[in-house]
Amino acid sequence: MSARDTVTFYLPPQLRKQAERGNQNFIKKVAEVLSEAGLTVAFDGDDDLARLRALARPGRGLYLMDQPVNGRGLTFRKTYIYPFWHIEKEAARWNWPVAQDVFDPKKVDARKAKNFYRLWRQRLFQDAPDHARQDGFVYIPLQGQLLRQRSFQSCSPLEMVKAVLAHDSKRQVVATLHPSEAYSIEEQKALEDLDSNEDRLIIDRAGSPRYLQNCDYIVTQNSSVGFEGYFFSKPLILFAKSDFHHIALNAIELGANRAFASVEDHAPNYAAYLYWFLQLRAINAGRPEAKKRIAASLRYHGWPV
């Protein structure tokens, strides 16, 4: 078999070990689809040297969350919750086909959506969504790089917090830090200064599941916590591009004034959307038809499977 017929998975160390043993369900099914099509499957790391090796290899590559090094590669990523996945040409989620699609709740089977919504609310959060309240505060799950406005953002995360305080003058505002982020001294000082000058602002470094359950609404750049809020029927305001923007109030498109003015009456069809976004537009690796969906996605991107 030619080296051109080899597909290499580029993975972090622990996941690579799992995948080589066949213990990662989605990667195992992708590998089976590739092998059944007559392709050879290989594994490598995901560091800079591995990416240099990928450039020199004639075969194809699959990259976990990373941008492919050339046109012969694809990226794959969990669609916020297991076992849902996407296989795409680029890493930026807001450029994926699903982000460009128009969501129409009228075209979604209401019964299937209701059952899906009920099942996954319980599976992910037990009975917490059934006891959700609105306790009079805004929840802001922060991500990284608090002082920088990146290309996909309408403002920096710190400016976003200031915007919430300016546009919602009656509610408390709870901002939480991301547990996987390392915040600089400058970022921490900027947060502390803002916290000391704003009586309504609470900065919580640890976070709490109750914030998702009991907030009035969520504001974020494009954190997955905003997506999780859909399972609690929580309105969402986004300050950045995202793939799950369809039923959110987007400050980029609407402007902050209009987004905040609309949030109290914002009540989209959460069940229809989550069914459409996850079951219909992603690959559910837990379903019997998962390998067919994987093959269809690879063929869509021009791969010979």
Side-chain angles (χ1 to χ4, degrees):
M1 175 134 339
S2 167
R4 294 183 180 276
D5 295 320
T6 298
V7 178
T8 304
F9 285 85
Y10 295 92
L11 305 170
Q14 188 60 37
L15 184 59
R16 178 182 177 182
K17 291 178 182 178
Q18 283 184 270
E20 288 177 327
R21 292 194 297 262
N23 291 339
Q24 208 293 330
N25 182 50
F26 180 70
I27 295 175
K28 178 181 179 182
K29 289 184 177 180
V30 175
E32 288 173 354
V33 169
L34 296 169
S35 298
E36 289 164 8
L39 300 169
T40 299
V41 173
F43 298 92
D44 201 347
D46 66 343
D47 57 15
D48 290 342
L49 287 176
R51 291 179 69 82
L52 287 173
R53 289 192 292 270
L55 281 170
R57 287 174 176 143
R60 294 177 172 85
L62 283 165
Y63 303 80
L64 178 66
M65 298 191 291
D66 288 334
Q67 184 68 21
V69 299
N70 53 38
R72 290 177 280 107
L74 297 172
T75 186
F76 67 102
R77 183 170 188 155
K78 180 183 70 172
T79 311
Y80 301 104
I81 61 173
Y82 288 110
F84 299 94
W85 296 80
H86 269 266
I87 302 173
E88 302 292 349
K89 284 187 175 180
E90 61 175 296
R93 295 185 183 201
W94 49 89
N95 290 330
W96 287 359
V98 66
Q100 315 307 319
D101 285 351
V102 175
F103 166 65
D104 184 353
K106 296 177 182 176
K107 295 182 179 180
V108 175
D109 186 306
R111 181 185 61 82
K112 290 182 179 179
K114 182 179 179 180
N115 290 338
F116 180 89
Y117 191 51
R118 182 173 60 247
L119 170 68
W120 282 98
R121 275 163 54 111
Q122 197 281 328
R123 183 172 294 183
L124 293 169
F125 304 104
Q126 290 77 52
D127 65 345
D130 296 327
H131 302 286
R133 306 191 305 263
Q134 290 186 326
D135 284 353
F137 68 93
V138 185
Y139 178 26
I140 308 178
L142 292 169
Q143 294 160 279
Q145 303 190 43
L146 300 182
L147 306 181
R148 178 187 169 202
Q149 179 184 348
R150 290 182 274 180
S151 61
F152 57 90
Q153 298 173 324
S154 62
C155 63
S156 72
L158 188 67
E159 290 300 319
M160 177 182 68
V161 177
K162 293 178 181 178
V164 176
L165 290 163
H167 286 90
D168 191 328
S169 60
K170 62 182 180 180
R171 291 178 176 86
Q172 274 197 316
V173 176
V174 179
T176 56
L177 301 183
H178 195 288
S180 299
E181 290 286 345
Y183 294 97
S184 68
I185 294 174
E186 291 78 11
E187 288 174 314
Q188 294 181 54
K189 184 177 186 306
L191 276 178
E192 290 169 2
D193 289 345
L194 184 60
D195 188 20
S196 64
N197 291 319
E198 296 286 352
D199 292 338
R200 291 186 297 117
L201 177 62
I202 298 171
I203 305 293
D204 190 338
R205 296 178 181 274
S208 168
R210 288 175 295 152
Y211 295 148
L212 193 63
Q213 182 181 25
N214 299 330
C215 66
D216 287 9
Y217 61 93
I218 300 167
V219 179
T220 183
Q221 294 283 352
N222 57 12
S223 168
S224 61
V225 177
F227 180 78
E228 292 174 356
Y230 290 160
F231 289 95
F232 290 80
S233 299
K234 298 294 182 176
L236 173 65
I237 297 177
L238 293 171
F239 272 73
K241 295 178 181 178
S242 169
D243 55 332
F244 58 86
H245 62 87
H246 306 81
I247 61 170
L249 296 165
N250 196 312
I252 295 178
E253 298 172 1
L254 300 175
N257 287 337
R258 187 176 168 193
F260 282 93
S262 303
V263 71
E264 288 192 24
D265 298 321
H266 188 60
N269 189 330
Y270 295 102
Y273 182 73
L274 287 167
Y275 178 73
W276 175 80
F277 187 85
L278 291 171
Q279 188 63 35
L280 300 183
R281 298 298 282 111
I283 299 167
N284 184 343
R287 294 280 300 172
E289 69 274 13
K291 286 173 62 174
K292 290 183 179 179
R293 296 286 299 274
I294 291 167
S297 181
L298 293 173
R299 284 195 296 270
Y300 173 80
H301 294 299
W303 284 31
V305 297

